[in-house]
Amino acid sequence: MQQLKYFLLFLLCIPVFSNAQDKNTTALVGNYLEVNGSMGQYNFAYDELLKMLKGRYPENNSNAEGWKYLKENKTKAVGEMKTLLIPIYETNFTKEDISKMVSFYTSATGKQLLTDRSKMNPAQKEKLNTFYNSEVGKKIIEKQSILGTEISKASEGWSRDLYETALSLLK
């Protein structure tokens, strides 16, 4: 009977442990999406959408609340995109892979790659080649097609929903 209690306690704890790891991995992937420039691109896309809409639907008394909502909810909307991207990376990469990817993009070489690839010095170019010749680099290259398809699908849905929401608020 005592063994049964311990076994049941063990079974109850498994979801807690796996959930904690999932949260850690999710946070790590979220960090990766920030440091690799992905979320910056979605912030830019949101800003560009508002610029485009500003020309078609200038702010006035009838749509002021809609504009207020769109301006105040950028962080939430971009966060929703991050939420769509995280499972794509969790499915295709291990926590260790993501850790290595974060390390690369937070290095001077990774930062220069994102800032201006054409200004990379020879040592940085060598580090970039070393990274892409590593196991995780090869995995990134191998999964480019899958990632591209899945990310495009998520991005298109997010963009479409955002645009439709914006139009409904501004018309």
Side-chain angles (χ1 to χ4, degrees):
M1 187 65 163
Q2 189 72 15
Q3 289 176 332
L4 180 60
K5 284 183 187 177
Y6 287 123
F7 180 71
L8 291 174
L9 182 62
F10 173 75
L11 288 177
L12 290 172
C13 290
I14 289 174
V16 172
F17 292 128
S18 58
N19 216 7
Q21 178 156 4
D22 291 346
K23 288 179 184 174
N24 290 336
T25 303
T26 297
L28 185 62
V29 174
N31 183 40
Y32 170 68
L33 293 169
E34 294 291 339
V35 300
N36 80 351
S38 293
M39 298 321 302
Q41 292 174 351
Y42 289 102
N43 276 296
F44 179 77
Y46 192 96
D47 292 341
E48 290 300 303
L49 174 64
L50 292 189
K51 282 182 195 175
M52 181 198 71
L53 291 170
K54 195 79 156 168
R56 292 168 82 187
Y57 304 98
E59 190 170 341
N60 57 45
N61 289 338
S62 65
N63 67 14
E65 285 299 312
W67 275 110
K68 180 181 178 193
Y69 177 87
L70 291 171
K71 290 173 187 172
E72 292 177 354
N73 283 282
K74 175 182 172 181
T75 301
K76 181 182 176 209
V78 173
E80 289 168 357
M81 185 63 220
K82 185 189 277 189
T83 301
L84 295 172
L85 293 174
I86 287 172
I88 295 169
Y89 283 89
E90 287 178 325
T91 300
N92 288 285
F93 297 100
T94 66
K95 184 177 180 181
E96 292 75 28
D97 293 337
I98 299 293
S99 291
K100 290 174 184 175
M101 292 156 68
V102 167
S103 292
F104 174 76
Y105 279 100
T106 56
S107 72
T109 300
K111 290 176 184 177
Q112 184 61 51
L113 176 67
L114 294 175
T115 303
D116 187 350
R117 185 183 189 130
S118 69
K119 292 184 179 175
M120 291 178 76
N121 64 40
Q124 290 172 325
K125 289 177 184 176
E126 182 61 34
K127 287 179 184 174
L128 177 62
N129 287 333
T130 299
F131 175 71
Y132 278 104
N133 286 319
S134 70
E135 289 303 312
V136 73
K138 290 175 184 174
K139 193 172 185 180
I140 292 168
I141 293 167
E142 171 190 317
K143 295 201 175 256
Q144 264 184 337
S145 177
I146 294 167
L147 292 171
T149 300
E150 292 180 18
I151 292 169
S152 290
K153 187 175 172 183
S155 294
E156 288 169 15
W158 177 78
S159 298
R160 182 184 55 253
D161 292 347
L162 180 59
Y163 183 74
E164 289 172 358
T165 298
L167 286 182
S168 72
L169 292 168
L170 300 176
K171 283 187 170 184

